[in-house]
Amino acid sequence: MEDWAIKIDCQRLDDAVGDVYVHADYKRARIRLDIEEFDTDEKMVQTLRHELLHVFLWTFDAWGVYAKAKLGERWGQEDDAMHTFFSERQVGALEALLDGMGLPDLGLDMPELLEYN
Ligand SMILES: [Zn+2]
């Protein structure tokens, strides 16, 4: 993901606390967060992580763009809904995986590790 440009905007949203637009062709993404809606920093970080996972899973989004273009008028609202449904399940599965793993402790032991090199 190092070669992606990910822009994060904080603004009021009508029907979500966060969302993301992925433009895989250009390796760009725009995440919007409605920071007024978060009671805690933790909830904001969770939402940011959720939207970043959508970017990480850009291939599924790209598949949707391809299928929509391929099917043209035959792609309908139900297809949009199903694409969103499965996209959210993918992200949810990764969130569960990450929550189960916890965060790796990389900080304090790094100088000691470097001595072995
Ligand atoms: Zn989502």
Side-chain angles (χ1 to χ4, degrees), residues 7 13 19 34 47 57-59 74 79 90 99 107 113-114:
K7 184 179 179 190
L13 300 173
D19 61 17
D34 188 344
T47 301
L57 296 169
W58 66 268
T59 52
R74 289 186 294 154
D79 299 309
Q90 272 191 320
D99 289 344
L113 288 173
L114 292 174

Side-chain angles (χ1 to χ4, degrees), residues 25-116:
D25 290 353
Y26 304 103
K27 293 186 177 179
R28 291 176 186 263
R30 179 183 180 210
I31 292 171
R32 299 187 309 168
L33 296 175
D34 188 344
I35 59 172
E36 301 288 327
E37 294 293 324
F38 298 113
D39 301 336
T40 63
D41 289 347
E42 184 181 3
K43 287 182 182 175
M44 185 182 70
V45 169
Q46 284 175 341
T47 301
L48 178 58
R49 182 182 75 168
H50 177 95
E51 303 306 342
L52 285 169
L53 287 173
H54 278 293
V55 180
F56 181 74
L57 296 169
W58 66 268
T59 52
F60 190 77
D61 192 79
W63 177 86
V65 170
Y66 167 79
K68 196 171 188 174
K70 184 88 174 175
L71 293 175
E73 291 180 1
R74 289 186 294 154
W75 180 278
Q77 284 185 333
E78 186 178 311
D79 299 309
D80 269 336
M82 292 306 287
H83 186 261
T84 299
F85 175 85
F86 287 112
S87 176
E88 295 302 333
R89 295 311 172 279
Q90 272 191 320
V91 168
L94 270 183
E95 287 175 319
L97 178 67
L98 292 172
D99 289 344
M101 292 170 61
L103 292 173
D105 182 11
L106 298 175
L108 298 176
D109 298 330
M110 287 303 282
E112 293 175 25
L113 288 173
L114 292 174
E115 290 177 10
Y116 293 100

